[in-house]
Amino acid sequence: MKLLISRFIAILILVIPGLLAMTGFLMMKDDIFNYISMHGDDAVTPDFAWLHFGGGLLLFLAGMSFLGGWILTRDRKKNYVGPRFREKQKIQQPPTTKSNP
């Protein structure tokens, strides 16, 4: 039962950023469509909803960066990534002995 609950929580952690990214993409898509469709109506002056588009862009970038970071971290643990994305190994220097003259 504990494993089932932990897997459900893990899926929720991945689904929520995915839904945020999807919502942001739909907000941006709707703003672009509304702006283009306003050009066909002579009674309306076309104006772009920059604030709504910016909010959608922010949601999209936040959701995709979370999912991308999660996938990169998982692949680094399983050693699936190429040399470009591997973590840099720290070089240990041999201890130096200080002698007082």
Side-chain angles (χ1 to χ4, degrees):
M1 186 68 179
K2 193 173 185 179
L3 181 65
L4 182 67
I5 292 172
S6 64
R7 286 186 182 230
F8 181 71
I9 291 171
I11 288 176
L12 279 180
I13 289 173
L14 290 177
V15 167
I16 291 172
L19 289 175
L20 288 176
M22 179 195 66
T23 303
F25 177 78
L26 292 176
M27 288 169 63
M28 293 187 299
K29 177 189 67 83
D30 290 341
D31 288 337
I32 292 172
F33 176 79
N34 288 336
Y35 179 70
I36 292 172
S37 66
M38 277 191 240
H39 283 286
D41 189 6
D42 293 334
V44 179
T45 304
D47 60 337
F48 193 73
W50 286 107
L51 189 62
H52 196 254
F53 185 83
L57 182 64
L58 185 69
L59 283 175
F60 179 74
L61 290 176
M64 293 312 313
S65 62
F66 181 86
L67 290 175
W70 183 82
I71 291 170
L72 181 64
T73 303
R74 184 197 64 178
D75 287 351
R76 277 183 179 167
K77 285 181 184 177
K78 295 185 177 189
N79 203 16
Y80 289 157
V81 295
R84 177 180 175 189
F85 296 107
R86 290 200 177 110
E87 290 183 8
K88 306 289 188 267
Q89 294 181 357
K90 295 179 183 177
I91 300 172
Q92 293 182 349
Q93 296 179 357
T96 58
T97 58
K98 293 183 179 179
S99 60
N100 292 335

